[in-house]
């Protein structure tokens, strides 16, 4: 089973029932992949979903994630600082490295820099590729 880290913008696209990516959210519920998160990632999910949708939706999404048997929680103690153009994105990279995740799902161009870093190797795929991989 794949272990993945999903950036916030991709998660936002997945949780809407009207989204073409909703199947990826359902696949999480069905145990087709393991979602790797850290406290920093959960905090960002809650903040952004609360701002874009509302706090009630954010709380439900977070509760759903954290109560799932397919959620793996990590607490990275080391900061790799591989993305300098947007240091806030490093929380996803750090979690992926510590979790030994198969990849990060992101549409964010800041993650492109990871292609040129041989170690630690962090793979990044788009949401469309993620859908193809898990469905």
């Amino acid at each position: 089973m794949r272990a993945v880290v999903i950036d916030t913008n991709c998660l936002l696209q997945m949780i809407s029932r009207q989204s073409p990516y909703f199947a990826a959210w359902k696949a999480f519920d069905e145990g087709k992949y393991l979602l790797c998160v850290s406290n920093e990632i959960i905090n960002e999910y809650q903040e952004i979903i609360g701002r874009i949708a509302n706090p009630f939706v954010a709380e439900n999404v977070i509760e759903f994630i954290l109560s799932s048997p397919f959620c793996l929680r990590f607490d990275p103690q080391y900061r790799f600082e591989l993305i300098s153009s947007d240091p806030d994105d490093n929380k996803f990279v750090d979690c992926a490295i510590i979790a030994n995740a198969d990849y990060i799902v992101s549409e964010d161009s800041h993650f492109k820099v990871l292609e040129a870093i041989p170690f630690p190797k962090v793979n990044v795929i788009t949401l469309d590729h993620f859908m193809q991989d898990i469905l």
Side-chain angles (χ1 to χ4, degrees):
M1 184 180 315
R2 299 249 186 252
V4 304
V5 174
I6 299 175
D7 90 359
T8 307
N9 288 324
C10 289
L11 182 72
L12 278 168
Q13 293 179 65
M14 290 166 48
I15 61 174
S16 170
R17 289 187 189 275
Q18 290 76 36
S19 169
Y21 302 108
F22 184 69
W25 181 246
K26 285 183 61 175
F28 169 61
D29 185 35
E30 295 165 358
K32 294 186 177 173
Y33 63 91
L34 299 170
L35 177 60
C36 303
V37 297
S38 65
N39 287 338
E40 284 183 284
I41 291 171
I42 289 296
N43 290 340
E44 180 171 302
Y45 284 173
Q46 186 153 17
E47 176 189 341
I48 302 300
I49 295 168
R51 189 176 340 133
I52 304 254
N54 65 58
F56 178 74
V57 170
E59 189 62 38
N60 284 332
V61 168
I62 298 307
E63 185 177 314
F64 181 80
I65 290 171
L66 295 179
S67 65
S68 170
F70 308 112
C71 173
L72 302 176
R73 292 184 79 169
F74 295 89
D75 184 21
Q77 299 296 309
Y78 185 80
R79 306 290 182 232
F80 292 89
E81 299 178 5
L82 299 182
I83 300 178
S84 58
S85 57
D86 188 357
D88 198 42
D89 288 335
N90 282 310
K91 69 173 81 53
F92 299 100
V93 177
D94 295 342
C95 184
I97 293 169
I98 298 304
N100 197 27
D102 292 282
Y103 45 72
I104 297 172
V105 180
S106 179
E107 304 284 333
D108 188 332
S109 63
H110 295 125
F111 287 88
K112 292 268 187 220
V113 70
L114 298 175
E115 294 173 4
I117 299 173
F119 183 82
K121 189 64 184 158
V122 181
N123 297 311
V124 180
I125 67 170
T126 64
L127 195 46
D128 285 328
H129 285 120
F130 179 53
M131 294 280 290
Q132 292 171 6
D133 190 46
I134 61 165
L135 299 179

